[in-house]
Structures are given as C-alpha cells and as structure tokens.
Amino acid sequence: MLIPHPLLGPRDAQEFTYLGDAALIDRPDGLTEPEKFHDYAYLRDNPAGVHKELWFHEQGDRSWLVVTRNTVTHEILGAVLARDTARGRGRSK
C-alpha cells in the first residue's frame, strides 16, 4: 500500500505507524471537560468505508499525516500534513 506523502511523494506504508482516527487531533482538556476527555480516550468508532486516519512517518521525515482511506478496500484517497489540518481547525501548534 502506497501513501501519497504531500512532501515526499508516494511512500510505502511500512515506513509509517498507524495511530487511529484523525479526530484524535481534537483532544479536549481533561481538567475542564473530563467527560469529553473520557470519550476521547476510550471510545472509538470502527467505520466501514471512507475514513480519515493519523499516520506517523516513523522511518522517514517523522511527519504526521491525515490519510483518507477506504477501510473496506484499503484504497488510499489522499493525505495531508496533520499540522495543516490542526491549523485549519484553529489549533496553533
């Protein structure tokens, strides 16, 4: 499976480590929102179909990517830098 790295071009998926749902970027504050943090930490969906996921380029430039993948066919539909996704959601770092 090839992942289209936005800076380096197509890379083998074996260079990456899968983290999980890209919604993990939106981590709530555990002190002010303990119920939301509990859900963030322990509840996960397991969707069939198109899904956004976090992948870490461990054996490359060590960047985080948000990869759009069909979980049924394993087709990779695209990838963007996670920092760009976070900034687009209003996170500064």
Side-chain angles (χ1 to χ4, degrees), residues 3 5-7 16-22 24-25 53-58 61-67 79-86:
I3 295 177
H5 194 293
L7 302 175
F16 294 83
T17 300
Y18 169 80
L19 178 63
D21 190 333
L24 294 173
I25 291 173
E53 306 167 328
L54 282 173
W55 290 71
F56 178 61
H57 197 191
E58 184 173 17
D61 69 345
R62 306 191 62 77
S63 61
W64 285 94
L65 302 181
V66 174
V67 175
V80 297
L81 293 173
R83 70 172 183 222
D84 295 341
T85 300

Side-chain angles (χ1 to χ4, degrees), residues 11-34:
R11 309 302 300 174
D12 192 296
Q14 292 181 343
E15 296 180 11
F16 294 83
T17 300
Y18 169 80
L19 178 63
D21 190 333
L24 294 173
I25 291 173
D26 299 321
R27 183 181 68 201
D29 184 347
L31 296 176
T32 61
E33 302 176 297

Side-chain angles (χ1 to χ4, degrees), residues 19 34 36 59:
L19 178 63
K36 286 185 181 180
Q59 296 178 21

